[in-house]
Amino acid sequence: MMKKTWAALLTAAMTAATLAGCANANSAGSAPATTAAAAETKAAGESKAADAGATTDWPKKAVTVTLPYSAGGDTDTYCRALFQAVGEKLGQNFVITNLTGGSGLVAAKDVMSKAPDGYNIFFTHTGAALVQEAMGTADFSYTDNFTNVCTVAEDATYTLVALSPNGSYKQYSRGWNNLEDMIADAKANPGVVRYSTVFGSTTQYVGNSLEKAAGIQFDNIDVGTAAGDRLAAFLGGQVDLIAVNYMNVEDYIEKGDVIALGVFSDKPMDGVDVKTLKEQGYDCKSTKKYEVKFPAGADQAIVDKLSAACKEVAESEEFKKTLATYHAAPLYRDAETTGKEDKAEVEELKAAMAQ
């Protein structure tokens, strides 16, 4: 598990230090008009950043960034990469705080209660947040009850995995070699196949979607919210199936201990030989988009300044390379686009759940 070990060491090192401080450049050979347009867009962005900087001296002290998941997972990894670079651009420390509980609700409400003075930031992803909003698990709106800043990345690697019948944990395997083996087993034994779910989150949504699409019924078991806890329960035989970001199980798949049954995405991951659920006849998908928010009522000049800094990072080659390590990609959306598209996605989720 060299990749996993390296990622853990990197996270530990970045956690130990106070973090200082969000798509891709045009390809070579672009037509002159395209190059000119790109330069004009870049200049406009730099002008906006300069204007924002001229109207506010924020940040004058360290900024707290709260995320709702444990250290070492996808949200934590992307958050730390983003705000280390943002802190370097803005000349202040951005201190990362992991506040778990309630599939993100504890952290969300904590940040909502803070003053909108620019010194408390909420970093989360749409996978759980918008599902909670659509299901009514959250008694607030992740758009209306926060001040959106921007979106910086997306991850469409949510993967359904099972234990290999030939791996190190074969004593807990149900003997499946592919998705159809699992579905056949689940149809023959309704309510027996144990699926790791976190109620009111992405895992519940994609699990329910697959149940409907395949005409099967799982035994849905909550073995913890954090990816690490769920993975430990899975490897320990407490559940038969788990859906997680690919980065969390890549080493186990490469070793042959875990089998990837399918990816909940519209398109396959680059460089990974795993079919999507859609390619296998089951239209089940979920893409996480990672967002930056302030408590409601934040000053627009501060929002603009942070958004401009995040945009610079999101469009940088360094950030792109970091995300590519985990098969994710930069995605910058400004505050208005983030809010508009999130609201539309909530309505889509409500319609899908009603079917």
Side-chain angles (χ1 to χ4, degrees), residues 130 143 151 289 291 331 333 335-348:
L130 301 189
T143 296
T151 305
K289 299 178 181 68
E291 301 179 346
L331 173 67
R333 302 185 300 181
E336 182 179 0
T337 304
T338 294
K340 181 179 179 180
E341 293 186 358
D342 280 359
K343 280 182 171 291
E345 187 171 339
V346 168
E347 294 307 313
E348 291 173 4

Side-chain angles (χ1 to χ4, degrees), residues 11-12 22 32 85 114 146 150 183 188 193 203 206 214 264 266 269 296 299 313 329 345 347:
T11 299
C22 241
K114 299 295 175 60
F146 284 92
C150 61
I183 291 176
V193 173
T203 58
V206 296
F264 292 100
D266 276 333
M269 287 180 279
D299 185 271
V313 176
E345 187 171 339
E347 294 307 313

Side-chain angles (χ1 to χ4, degrees), residues 1 19 34 47 71 82 89 109-110 128 134 148 159 191 205 209 246 255 284 290 295 334:
M1 298 190 293
L19 292 178
T34 303
S47 176
L82 171 69
K89 290 183 179 299
K109 291 204 168 187
D110 178 76
N148 282 325
T159 306
Y205 174 69
S209 296
Y246 191 78
K255 286 179 61 179
C284 309
Y290 298 80
D334 62 19

